[in-house]
Amino acid sequence: MSTLWHGRFEGDPAEELMAYTASIGFDVRLAPDDVAGSRAHVRMLGRVGLLSDSEVDVVLAALHQTETELASGDFEFAPSDEDIHTAIERRVTELAGAAGAKLHTGRSRNDQVATALRLFAKRELAAMAADVIALQQVLLDRAASAGDAYLPGYTHLQRAQPVLLAHHLLAHGWALSRDVDRLADARTRLDVSPLGAGAVAGSSLPLDPDMTASDMGFAARFENSMDAVSDRDFAAESLFASAMVAIHLSRLGEEIVFWTSEEAGFATLDDAYATGSSMLPQKKNPDIAELARGKAGRIIGNLTGLLATLKGLPLAYNRDLQEDKEPLFDAVDQVRLGVRAMTGLMATISFNTDAMAAAADAPTSAATDLAEHLVADGVPFRDAHAIVGDLVRRSLEGAASLADLVRADPRLGETAAALLAPGVPVTRRTTPGGAGPHAVAAQIKRFRAQLDADATRF
Ligand code: ARG
């Protein structure tokens, strides 16, 4: 077997070594990124005079063919291909002969692999942001068409105050806006090329890392070769940004599980976005929502796993760093699948607005409005709270309905009792950012503007 280091070693590597250390099984998906990095590197080697123009052409043609073979599935992997970088260089050398053997001039897999993973992360974070924006668009559409539908707003999962359905949906939408911002921010910080750092210290050859950086579309090149090959902050940040999306999906998922339960009955899933039971014929289950909740745990594990891998590493490259890839790949795959599944679910779910209203119309939902009515008459809030609390307690004890107690109370009376009528309390949430119709209409405008601005960021 011909390894990249065969000159220094006698005989072949042990089978167990290859089985344990090879990463080809998962880093094959970095092929397009490795090819992009290799192209930039070869062009740079040509421009600084380390390869002739014809050598550059031969290597670029070999890279093109290798890329085509990889994309079509015709690429034949060799037992010595421990990772995709080794495989591509091996094939290019087979195809381009002596010129191909110059591809790795001044380069190490240490800077090569860091470069490829950054290119991958740059692309995937942008794609994830686009997926998130599509989910936000659905939340916005559903909010805009929800009209004056309202449901209980909960604290401690106890009914607190009615809120417009649009307000509730956009609460999830705004959380996702911060995710888009985080993805953009992480992407800006990772937009630095490590290529040209070599194994650890740079090179005696006249390499031009600025040239390769701009060739690959990076905003900058590294400032320190040791940092360039050992930094995986970008992978950890990408994982955190992904994990935060996963957590937001999980919280939305939990909402859906609750809303679609027979106990709440606030929403019904479209058949295409629900599952049945193998045994119980009547069941319709919210599996997407539950997996959004369940997979968040795994994605958090990907983040904490990588952080633990990084924490004790001395500078610069250590093979431990190969453990950066699987968690990142898994997180971006699972988050993107989850966002897209939830987008379809939210686009097709039907809201049972009568059940929502019925749950929100319990007279006690207006308790705060009664207290605020007293405040408007000059009663200190603490006293108003006690007065209304006393009426609520008496109605719960069965003295009379809350409405009758309110009507009979000289401090409250008929005008106050009118606040208990179905649909009235939510109209009284008038403050900016509040849950009532005027505030929500303004919020929808601002959300739409934010979404339009975010769509142009990537
Ligand atoms: N597959 C390796 C990785 O992902 C490539 C770098 C190997 N470098 C080395 N010095 N052994 O990190």
Side-chain angles (χ1 to χ4, degrees), residues 287-353:
D287 288 25
I288 291 175
E290 291 172 312
L291 279 171
R293 214 171 49 186
K295 287 183 195 244
R298 160 173 162 194
I299 294 160
I300 293 165
N302 288 329
L303 168 64
T304 57
L306 179 66
L307 291 173
T309 295
L310 296 178
K311 74 169 270 298
L313 292 185
L315 296 181
Y317 180 84
N318 302 269
R319 190 63 179 266
D320 315 44
L321 291 173
Q322 181 169 287
E323 290 295 305
D324 57 0
K325 282 172 267 307
E326 286 165 292
L328 184 59
F329 294 165
D330 185 54
V332 299
D333 289 345
Q334 290 302 325
V335 169
R336 293 191 58 201
L337 284 169
V339 171
R340 281 178 276 166
M342 284 296 270
T343 302
L345 183 154
M346 292 308 297
T348 55
I349 196 169
S350 31
F351 298 121
N352 307 329
T353 51

Side-chain angles (χ1 to χ4, degrees), residues 171-327:
H172 291 289
W174 288 108
L176 294 170
S177 293
R178 294 189 294 277
D179 288 329
V180 171
D181 193 46
R182 253 186 295 275
L183 290 165
D185 186 48
R187 200 165 171 275
T188 302
R189 206 165 10 258
L190 71 75
D191 200 4
V192 177
S193 171
L195 196 60
V200 60
S203 177
S204 65
L205 301 167
L207 308 178
D208 188 340
D210 286 306
M211 197 183 279
T212 44
S214 72
D215 188 331
M216 291 181 284
F218 280 111
R221 62 147 166 91
F222 63 96
E223 293 291 347
N224 178 308
S225 64
M226 296 181 84
D227 184 40
V229 292
S230 61
D231 167 27
R232 292 296 183 279
D233 297 7
F234 73 93
E237 278 198 72
S238 300
L239 275 167
F240 175 71
S242 304
M244 209 60 236
V245 178
I247 288 166
H248 289 142
L249 273 195
S250 171
R251 295 182 75 172
L252 177 58
E254 171 55 17
E255 207 91 83
I256 297 305
V257 169
F258 173 57
W259 285 5
T260 59
S261 71
E262 283 174 77
E263 281 61 31
F266 291 172
T268 308
L269 292 175
D270 186 84
D271 282 359
Y273 289 91
T275 51
S277 157
S278 61
M279 177 175 162
L280 313 171
Q282 84 282 13
K283 291 300 292 295
K284 184 165 177 183
N285 294 329
D287 288 25
I288 291 175
E290 291 172 312
L291 279 171
R293 214 171 49 186
K295 287 183 195 244
R298 160 173 162 194
I299 294 160
I300 293 165
N302 288 329
L303 168 64
T304 57
L306 179 66
L307 291 173
T309 295
L310 296 178
K311 74 169 270 298
L313 292 185
L315 296 181
Y317 180 84
N318 302 269
R319 190 63 179 266
D320 315 44
L321 291 173
Q322 181 169 287
E323 290 295 305
D324 57 0
K325 282 172 267 307
E326 286 165 292

Side-chain angles (χ1 to χ4, degrees), residues 23 27 82-83 85 109-110 113 317 319 321-322 325:
S23 53
D27 64 20
E82 66 163 79
D83 60 21
H85 320 288
R109 271 183 305 157
N110 300 351
V113 71
Y317 180 84
R319 190 63 179 266
L321 291 173
Q322 181 169 287
K325 282 172 267 307

